[in-house]
């Protein structure tokens, strides 16, 4: 499978992905029984995972979508990330962050810091994919779909240069 200049091969089929998501949802249903969690899904990549996960959640559950805007601050050394689109009050809520992939973990770590500052009752992370070897920031990931090698993947919400998000399967860069 070709996207622009790169060739990809099938890695996780739609069936395998859907089965695993059902398993994650079952676990979340047990863990959050009697609670009303607020899922916070990170756009763009997590939109498919969030939609399929939501369909298998039972009980009362809410969802909100956020975007992370990154820019280089004019003079400071670091990169600042802003969370856009979160209208819900996070304070005292049971929050589950939904990501497509945790790679270096820098994005997730920023997100966790941001949400914790708003004093939720609890905070958990659900990520479909985890490139464990690439992790630079240690963190606890409560719900992980698949641990994958440190290779570039596309499909099921994940893109290569804007393309490939529509694919139902996940593909790995061919070497
Ligand atoms: P991190 O901050 O390095 O953990 O990267 C997080 C973001 O990088 C993800 O939300 C994705 O948008 C993107 N990303 C990381 N690895 C991949 C990949 O293999 N394919 C597509 N996008 C990726």
């Amino acid at each position: 499978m070709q996207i622009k200049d790169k060739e990809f091969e099938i890695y996780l089929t739609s069936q395998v992905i859907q089965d695993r998501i059902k398993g994650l949802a079952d676990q979340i249903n047990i863990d959050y029984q009697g609670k009303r969690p607020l899922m916070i899904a990170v756009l763009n990549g997590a939109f498919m995972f969030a939609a399929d996960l939501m369909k298998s959640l039972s009980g009362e559950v809410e969802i909100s979508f956020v975007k992370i805007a990154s820019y280089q601050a004019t003079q400071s050394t670091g990169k600042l990330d802003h969370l856009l689109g979160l209208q819900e009050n996070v304070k005292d809520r049971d929050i589950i962050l939904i990501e497509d992939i945790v790679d270096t973990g820098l994005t997730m770590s920023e997100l966790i810091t941001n949400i914790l500052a708003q004093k939720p009752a609890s905070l958990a992370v659900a990520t479909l994919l985890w490139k464990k070897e690439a992790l630079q920031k240690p963190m606890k990931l409560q719900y992980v779909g698949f641990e994958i090698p440190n290779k570039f993947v596309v499909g099921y919400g994940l893109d290569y240069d804007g393309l490939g998000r529509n694919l139902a399967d996940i593909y790995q860069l061919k070497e």
Side-chain angles (χ1 to χ4, degrees), residues 6-66:
K6 301 246 187 293
E7 208 175 325
F8 294 86
E9 58 195 352
I10 188 94
Y11 181 57
L12 298 167
T13 65
S14 169
Q15 189 61 57
V16 166
I17 296 167
Q18 295 301 329
D19 287 350
R20 182 68 189 116
I21 292 174
K22 287 232 160 48
L24 290 178
D26 289 346
Q27 193 56 51
I28 292 173
N29 286 332
I30 293 168
D31 295 347
Y32 287 82
Q33 214 168 16
K35 294 185 174 170
R36 183 158 59 95
L38 170 62
M39 322 293 285
I40 299 180
V42 185
L43 295 174
N44 293 326
F47 75 100
M48 275 203 196
F49 175 42
D52 286 333
L53 186 65
M54 280 297 276
K55 282 185 266 181
S56 292
L57 294 179
S58 54
E60 294 189 338
V61 56
E62 292 176 45
I63 188 162
S64 188
F65 292 88
V66 296

Side-chain angles (χ1 to χ4, degrees), residues 45 99-108 131 151-154 158-160:
E99 255 290 24
D100 50 353
I101 187 164
V102 174
D103 185 348
T104 62
L106 296 175
T107 307
M108 186 48 80
K131 288 185 187 168
K151 289 184 182 172
F152 194 79
V153 285
V154 287
L158 291 137
D159 75 306
Y160 167 53

Side-chain angles (χ1 to χ4, degrees), residues 1-10 151-154 160 167 171-175:
M1 203 264 307
Q2 187 91 17
I3 300 181
K4 295 194 171 174
D5 57 323
K6 301 246 187 293
E7 208 175 325
F8 294 86
E9 58 195 352
I10 188 94
K151 289 184 182 172
F152 194 79
V153 285
V154 287
Y160 167 53
L167 301 164
Y171 295 78
Q172 195 175 59
L173 185 64
K174 213 167 166 175
E175 302 197 19

Side-chain angles (χ1 to χ4, degrees), residues 55-84:
K55 282 185 266 181
S56 292
L57 294 179
S58 54
E60 294 189 338
V61 56
E62 292 176 45
I63 188 162
S64 188
F65 292 88
V66 296
K67 249 192 137 128
I68 297 172
S70 308
Y71 68 93
Q72 302 291 333
T74 43
Q75 287 169 336
S76 87
T77 47
K79 201 177 79 177
L80 288 183
D81 292 320
H82 287 258
L83 205 54
L84 302 177

